[in-house]
Amino acid sequence: MVNLEFYLQHYNYWISVLLFMIGLYTMIAKKNLIKKFLGLNIVDTSIYLFFISMGDKSKAIAPIIHGEHVDPTHYSNPLPSVLILTAIVVAIGLTATALSLSIRIYEEYGTLNSEKIEELW
Amino acid sequence: MLLNQNQLPILLVLIPLFGAYLAAISVLFKKKINNILSLILLSLSFFLSLLTANHVLTSGDISYHTAGLQPPFAIEIVVDPLSALMTIIITSLSLLTVIYSREFIRKELSDKRESYYYILVLLLTGGLNWFVIAGDIFNMFVGLEILSISSYSLIAIAQNKEAIASAYQYLLMGSIGSSFFLLGTGYLYIMTGTLNFADLAIRIAQLGLFNSEAIFASTAFIVTGLSIKGAIFPLHVWMPDAYSKALAPICALSSGAIIEAAVYALIRITLTVYGIEFITEIVPVKTILLWLAGIAIIIGSLYAISQSNIKRMLAYSSVSQMGYIVMGYGIGTQLGLSAGILHLFNHSIMKACLFFAVGAIAYKTGKTDLYEYEGMGDKMPVTMMFFSLAAISMVGIPPTNGFISKFYLVWASASSTRWIFAAIILVSSLLNAIYFFRIINKAYFGGGHEEASRDEAPYTMLVPIGVLAISCVVFGLAFNIPLSLIEPVAEKLMTLSLII
Amino acid sequence: MSEGPITKDVLVKTVTKILIPPIQLFGLYVIMHGHISPGGGFQGGVIIASSFILYALVFGYREGAHRAKLKIRQFLEPLGPIIFGTIGLICILFSGNFLQYSAIPILANAEIAATAISLVEIGIGITVTAVIFSIFMAMGGRKTDG
């Protein structure tokens, strides 16, 4: 029997999977190069969501020591957030590279449609 | 001594990365300084990588922790003989690339782009070094992204329309690979709560996660992601387009170091984190990769035969050569793994030499097509001689290094009674012979002697080609030097068993 | 982007002029409190860069390029990693590990070691500000720059 409650409790992962699929579909189905890249950004966002939601829990506080002692179980896990911050910085570099490349592609080919670019190759 | 020997690994990463930013600042004050600056920095890194290898061989693996904490809490950098070998490959190839680029880039790119080119090469070297010596999976991801972004930019830097479009294609595919890798990291982290390689292996075993679906998914994502980066068949489709349009030194560096590093990471992660039993019995990664490699070797060679653009031909040849490396890993014995990694080392020498030589010919004559190579043996005799040497090595004729690693591969597949793969290697050697001897035949016996006048490439280009071509022969005779770095690790990886 | 001001609306210009100092101040706050509260060099740098972008959007590309000149940006872009790397290298010279602040004699005290983290954060903030604004200017000013 399918344990429905178990699946409903982890709805954050379902959202992440859904976003991942939407992003992949966009990358494959869309012809416009910028839309393809936006699909990639959606894929990345779904992964960020996956990481962030696995590190968080309800009513948790930021893990910063402010003098008085707090029970460590009240802290949310900081490591996924740190990792995702790094991944976001990396994604910004990637986005800048991709957008500048697409500007150059538009200047050279006069279009951003991937099929037309293949014809003009 | 000012610097402790244990500081060597961080310097391997820090010098190229830090140097890239130094180069970015110094070019504002003095134009055209970047060539010299990157030459100095990369020579230093090369020297340090040799020192590291020596240190690792004499006094054992180096484990380096930043910020004075202990792993798994600190960022750990682990250098064992195999990663030392990888850093030697990376730093030596990028050093030769910078020497080679001096004349080549001056002709191909404007002054402004020339300075960007050297900054990107330094970033790429730093990212590669970081990628191969990282001791945890997330740092490996960061190194992977640094090297990927700089390699996308380096392919696009040629600024012709095909190069930009193929760089965009590479970017889309490569970043999907990185995303898959990150997602696989996430699955590993959610199940174990750690990212450090050694710690991951221990926790997976302790928590009995070998039947967990999340771990299966992480294997699938990580292997797929790295296969895209490593151009393992059938995920190689970005490579021929990107390489046929990029500048020759970049092709040499990518084909010689980037895809190799990705395959190295695949070997390292699957064998240290998951362990040999897991990837053989529970998730048959090795068997799948073995058969894919067998197909890749034949298909890659057949595609290579059908190309007339030489750079494109070499790119398809890389697909088949990556097949050899993965086949060695997929055979699944210690001998097979050492043979595969030995071929990885040899392939980076041979393929870089071939790309350099083709680039030198294009630099002097502008010819990139197979049918235009007539009389090239008289026109550029030294370059063609080195090209032929590397091509012979590619085919696998003794006493070159290509022969040694192919011999090891045949031996490994025969000793595990997988005769079909031994046969595939022999058939593909014949196919290699067809497409390489076709060029040599055209160049030396294809006519066109009367119009040929000697017009040799400049010395800064001949020296890297010559060094690599001669090392093809040197490592064909002294093959125990790379093997001494490979075998201890192959033994360790194969006997590492954590399933209880 | 057009070269001149996009808008001639007095309201937008005045509100922008009023908003920019608090935005930058908030960015500096986020950078400086990075080691004791959520925040840090990257987040603060993006906030400061957004104030520059707002200025360039309202007052036009040329005015924005005049306020933050290309030469200065090109100098500031690699400066952050150099500060970061230098602090790390100083730790190595004092025979500690990379970024092991306690190896530096004057930073043996944990309170003072926090200052070193702030230095790193400031460096990152400088770089991120310059890089984000440069990305915006490079793409927006493509037609005018040629």
Side-chain angles (χ1 to χ4, degrees):
Chain A
M1 199 193 100
V2 180
N3 189 347
L4 193 64
E5 202 180 344
F6 175 79
Y7 287 110
L8 285 178
Q9 270 173 358
H10 295 82
Y11 63 92
N12 50 342
Y13 298 138
W14 288 108
I15 294 171
S16 157
V17 168
L18 190 69
L19 277 176
F20 192 87
M21 291 304 169
I22 291 172
L24 267 186
Y25 173 78
T26 316
M27 284 194 76
I28 295 164
K30 295 290 175 189
K31 301 276 182 283
N32 187 309
L33 289 184
I34 291 191
K35 283 185 183 163
K36 275 183 192 283
F37 194 76
L38 286 180
L40 187 78
N41 274 348
I42 296 173
V43 169
D44 279 348
T45 311
S46 79
I47 298 172
Y48 304 157
L49 190 67
F50 172 70
F51 266 86
I52 297 289
S53 63
M54 86 175 148
D56 198 28
K57 58 184 175 188
S58 57
K59 292 179 189 143
I61 56 169
I64 295 165
I65 299 168
H66 270 308
E68 79 272 27
H69 182 72
V70 181
D71 186 10
T73 51
H74 291 158
Y75 290 137
S76 69
N77 187 352
L79 191 66
S81 313
V82 174
L83 300 183
I84 289 317
L85 184 61
T86 315
I88 288 173
V89 177
V90 166
I92 283 181
L94 197 63
T95 311
T97 316
L99 289 180
S100 46
L101 277 180
S102 54
I103 289 175
R104 287 287 295 131
I105 287 177
Y106 190 78
E107 283 173 359
E108 293 283 347
Y109 292 88
T111 176
L112 280 173
N113 188 318
S114 57
E115 282 178 353
K116 282 184 185 158
I117 288 171
E118 258 170 50
E119 286 167 19
L120 292 170
W121 190 289
Chain B
M1 192 175 155
L2 186 63
L3 290 177
N4 190 334
Q5 293 238 304
N6 287 322
Q7 303 288 348
L8 283 172
I10 190 78
L11 290 178
L12 276 177
V13 178
L14 210 57
I15 286 174
L17 277 186
F18 193 58
Y21 296 106
L22 273 185
I25 266 196
S26 56
V27 77
L28 295 176
F29 299 106
K30 189 162 164 50
K31 297 259 184 296
K32 306 213 172 207
I33 196 178
N34 273 0
N35 183 284
I36 298 296
L37 190 66
S38 48
L39 188 68
I40 294 167
L41 288 166
L42 289 173
S43 317
L44 192 60
S45 321
F46 178 55
F47 179 66
L48 285 177
S49 70
L50 289 179
L51 272 186
T52 313
N54 179 39
H55 184 69
V56 166
L57 275 184
T58 50
S59 44
D61 300 359
I62 308 175
S63 164
Y64 184 87
H65 326 127
T66 58
L69 300 166
Q70 287 302 310
F73 303 108
I75 292 170
E76 192 189 10
I77 291 176
V78 184
V79 185
D80 62 4
L82 183 55
S83 37
L85 182 75
M86 288 305 294
T87 58
I88 290 176
I89 294 175
I90 291 159
T91 49
S92 59
L93 271 187
S94 45
L95 176 62
L96 291 175
T97 303
V98 166
I99 296 171
Y100 180 89
S101 300
R102 190 178 166 80
E103 296 290 330
F104 189 87
I105 294 300
R106 196 160 285 170
K107 186 187 170 197
E108 296 281 335
L109 299 179
S110 65
D111 281 358
K112 194 173 154 197
R113 291 198 191 286
E114 191 185 331
S115 59
Y116 292 158
Y117 172 85
Y118 291 112
I119 296 171
L120 285 169
V121 169
L122 282 169
L123 270 181
L124 177 62
T125 314
L128 275 167
N129 272 345
W130 191 348
F131 181 60
V132 296
I133 64 178
D136 73 82
I137 196 161
F138 192 76
N139 272 287
M140 201 172 227
F141 168 75
V142 176
L144 181 68
E145 285 291 292
I146 291 175
L147 78 90
S148 307
I149 293 177
S150 38
S151 69
Y152 308 145
S153 316
L154 277 172
I155 285 173
I157 208 168
Q159 290 292 322
N160 55 47
K161 56 196 272 187
E162 293 92 353
I164 297 166
S166 57
Y168 200 87
Q169 189 192 4
Y170 176 28
L171 186 145
L172 284 178
M173 284 202 72
S175 33
I176 271 290
S178 313
S179 298
F180 275 21
F181 188 81
L182 185 60
L183 193 57
T185 310
Y187 281 122
L188 278 179
Y189 181 73
I190 202 169
M191 294 311 285
T192 59
T194 182
L195 293 164
N196 187 293
F197 283 142
D199 211 29
L200 270 173
I202 295 168
R203 295 245 189 132
I204 290 177
Q206 273 178 351
L207 300 171
L209 292 174
F210 288 109
N211 290 313
S212 147
E213 285 86 354
I215 297 291
F216 295 171
S218 75
T219 323
F221 279 122
I222 288 176
V223 169
T224 316
L226 287 175
S227 303
I228 294 176
K229 293 280 183 193
I232 293 170
F233 181 85
L235 300 169
H236 65 275
V237 286
W238 57 268
M239 195 166 76
D241 285 338
Y243 283 10
S244 54
K245 304 296 183 277
L247 299 171
I250 297 312
C251 295
L253 194 54
S254 337
S255 191
I258 294 176
I259 54 177
E260 258 85 355
V263 173
Y264 158 84
L266 182 67
I267 294 172
R268 160 94 28 182
I269 292 179
T270 47
L271 288 179
T272 48
V273 174
Y274 300 107
I276 182 80
E277 279 94 350
F278 182 79
I279 58 167
T280 323
E281 285 154 24
I282 303 174
V283 180
V285 175
K286 278 174 69 165
T287 321
I288 296 169
L289 283 178
L290 179 63
W291 284 99
L292 283 180
I295 301 168
I297 290 171
I298 299 296
I299 300 265
S301 304
L302 288 176
Y303 266 118
I305 288 176
S306 67
Q307 304 299 324
S308 71
N309 181 318
I310 294 195
K311 266 159 118 182
R312 214 176 163 80
M313 187 198 88
L314 290 178
Y316 275 112
S317 156
S318 278
V319 173
S320 106
Q321 301 293 320
M322 293 325 273
Y324 285 116
I325 299 166
V326 175
M327 176 188 277
Y329 157 78
I331 286 170
T333 58
Q334 191 192 325
L335 187 65
L337 186 63
S338 344
I341 299 172
L342 183 66
H343 195 73
L344 187 153
F345 174 74
N346 291 338
H347 171 243
S348 64
I349 296 173
M350 302 184 282
K351 198 43 81 55
C353 179
L354 289 171
F355 269 121
F356 278 156
V358 169
I361 289 168
Y363 171 83
K364 267 292 163 195
T365 62
K367 290 174 179 168
T368 55
D369 200 274
L370 166 65
Y371 299 104
E372 300 170 338
Y373 267 42
E374 286 174 356
M376 204 56 82
D378 293 315
K379 203 167 163 59
M380 302 178 73
V382 184
T383 313
M384 255 342 268
M385 183 184 80
F386 289 144
F387 180 90
S388 314
L389 208 56
I392 285 170
S393 181
M394 214 67 181
V395 176
I397 296 172
T400 54
N401 58 359
F403 167 73
I404 297 295
S405 46
K406 280 188 186 177
F407 175 74
Y408 261 87
L409 277 169
V410 173
W411 185 16
S413 43
S415 64
S416 61
T417 64
R418 293 174 196 265
W419 296 103
I420 181 158
F421 292 106
I424 285 175
I425 292 169
L426 295 176
V427 169
S428 113
S429 291
L430 283 177
L431 294 174
N432 282 357
I434 292 173
Y435 60 79
F436 279 117
F437 286 155
R438 201 170 49 161
I439 300 173
I440 295 172
N441 185 29
K442 265 271 183 296
Y444 284 106
F445 312 111
H449 294 280
E450 60 280 354
E451 55 179 295
S453 58
R454 240 190 105 151
D455 188 15
E456 197 50 79
Y459 282 111
T460 49
M461 292 165 85
L462 278 182
V463 167
I465 304 173
V467 167
L468 288 168
I470 291 165
S471 12
C472 282
V473 182
V474 168
F475 287 112
L477 300 169
F479 54 89
N480 54 339
I481 296 172
L483 271 181
S484 69
L485 287 160
I486 293 165
E487 272 182 335
V489 182
E491 188 182 346
K492 201 177 87 188
L493 289 177
M494 282 314 201
T495 50
L496 203 72
S497 171
L498 287 156
I499 296 185
I500 302 149
Chain C
M1 200 195 306
S2 66
E3 287 189 28
I6 286 177
T7 174
K8 292 196 163 51
D9 195 341
V10 180
L11 195 64
V12 174
K13 286 186 177 177
T14 316
V15 169
T16 307
K17 276 184 177 167
I18 296 172
L19 267 181
I20 285 175
I23 293 175
Q24 293 185 341
L25 204 60
F26 179 62
L28 288 175
Y29 166 79
V30 171
I31 292 177
M32 292 311 293
H33 280 245
H35 58 290
I36 52 168
S37 69
F42 180 76
Q43 294 92 321
V46 172
I47 292 171
I48 297 179
S50 73
S51 76
F52 281 102
I53 291 175
L54 178 67
Y55 186 84
L57 275 178
V58 172
F59 292 93
Y61 175 83
R62 181 153 294 174
E63 189 70 11
H66 176 71
R67 288 283 167 148
K69 290 194 179 61
L70 182 67
K71 279 275 174 213
I72 297 173
R73 275 186 273 131
Q74 280 181 338
F75 179 76
L76 291 179
E77 276 162 19
L79 196 64
I82 287 180
I83 293 176
F84 184 94
T86 314
I87 291 176
L89 281 174
I90 290 170
C91 299
I92 292 179
L93 287 181
F94 282 106
S95 69
N97 278 358
F98 185 66
L99 287 182
Q100 186 180 0
Y101 300 118
S102 54
I104 304 175
I106 54 163
L107 294 180
N109 187 336
E111 293 284 320
I112 308 172
T115 326
I117 301 175
S118 292
L119 273 179
V120 171
E121 297 282 9
I122 290 168
I124 296 169
I126 291 171
T127 295
V128 171
T129 307
V131 167
I132 299 280
F133 189 55
S134 284
I135 290 172
F136 174 79
M137 293 302 268
M139 286 179 189
R142 186 75 197 163
K143 281 272 152 50
T144 35
D145 250 8

